[in-house]
Amino acid sequence: MTSALDTAQKEYERWRQRERRIQEAIAQVDEERERLDAELERVDQQVVYYDSLTRDMKKELRRPGLSSLLSSMRRP
């Protein structure tokens, strides 16, 4: 009877250790997901910034002022 009880106790402990390792792995995955989400948010902000910057630069290049238009016509 004690042997069966000892075996059951050892099996229980093995399962508890497995559970702890799985919980630690899940916590690591959650931390990594949070880190990646934060990084993705920063990348999204950069994309928006550079998109608006590009748009602004294109506006400046497409619509030259009258003085720059006249000076470009004077160049040989």
Side-chain angles (χ1 to χ4, degrees):
M1 178 85 174
T2 351
S3 174
L5 190 56
D6 287 342
T7 303
Q9 186 66 30
K10 287 178 186 177
E11 184 68 18
Y12 174 77
E13 284 303 316
R14 274 197 303 266
W15 279 103
R16 292 290 294 159
Q17 289 174 0
R18 261 188 213 159
E19 180 184 29
R20 278 187 229 116
R21 285 194 305 266
I22 290 171
Q23 287 174 342
E24 289 171 3
I26 289 171
Q28 290 173 351
V29 168
D30 287 342
E31 289 172 7
E32 181 70 6
R33 177 180 287 149
E34 288 176 14
R35 186 188 70 76
L36 290 174
D37 284 343
E39 186 175 333
L40 185 59
E41 186 174 330
R42 285 190 302 273
V43 169
D44 285 342
Q45 290 172 351
Q46 289 175 346
V47 166
V48 169
Y49 169 76
Y50 285 111
D51 185 47
S52 67
L53 182 63
T54 304
R55 197 175 326 114
D56 292 344
M57 290 174 69
K58 285 181 181 178
K59 283 179 187 177
E60 288 180 19
L61 293 175
R62 257 189 274 147
R63 298 183 185 165
L66 185 57
S67 62
S68 63
L69 181 62
L70 293 174
S71 63
S72 68
M73 295 173 82
R74 288 186 199 138
R75 291 186 194 147

